[in-house]
Amino acid sequence: MTTHGPEQAGGGEPAQNLDYRIAHLQDRLASGELGELGVRAEARGQTVLLTGTVPSAPCRDEILRTVHEELAGIPVHSDLVVTEASSPDHAEELA
């Protein structure tokens, strides 16, 4: 078995390092302005899957920016749903 010292990329077992980075990301998301959101990050092999619902596109963009900062070099798949409620641009016709 080959051991990798901290000076090598990954700094340890890849799965453990990914789990640690995801936990740090979750802490950062929870402590920020967006802390009340139900955004989850899960390891899927050597990639990360983001799921959840966010109130607006700018909110989603801020989350993705934070995720890419924390998980630089790790492929991230986003399945975030935007629930932005906008005013209708025309009157609704009732039959």
Side-chain angles (χ1 to χ4, degrees):
M1 179 174 173
T2 304
T3 1
H4 298 284
E7 69 279 2
Q8 293 183 339
E13 295 297 320
Q16 290 174 336
N17 187 40
L18 183 56
D19 289 341
Y20 171 81
R21 291 177 72 182
I22 289 172
H24 189 266
L25 169 66
Q26 293 282 45
D27 288 345
R28 186 169 169 193
L29 290 175
S31 66
E33 291 179 20
L34 308 173
E36 296 303 315
L37 299 175
V39 175
R40 292 181 42 107
E42 301 175 21
R44 297 287 171 101
Q46 291 301 308
T47 64
V48 173
L49 174 64
L50 286 180
T51 57
T53 304
V54 296
S56 66
C59 180
R60 178 196 58 210
D61 295 343
E62 177 65 19
I63 289 170
L64 292 176
R65 183 189 62 76
T66 301
V67 168
H68 289 293
E69 284 176 5
E70 288 294 326
L71 302 178
I74 296 172
V76 175
H77 300 283
S78 174
D79 192 16
L80 296 176
V81 177
V82 177
T83 61
E84 189 166 44
S86 60
S87 301
D89 58 356
H90 61 281
E92 181 179 354
E93 293 185 30
L94 301 174

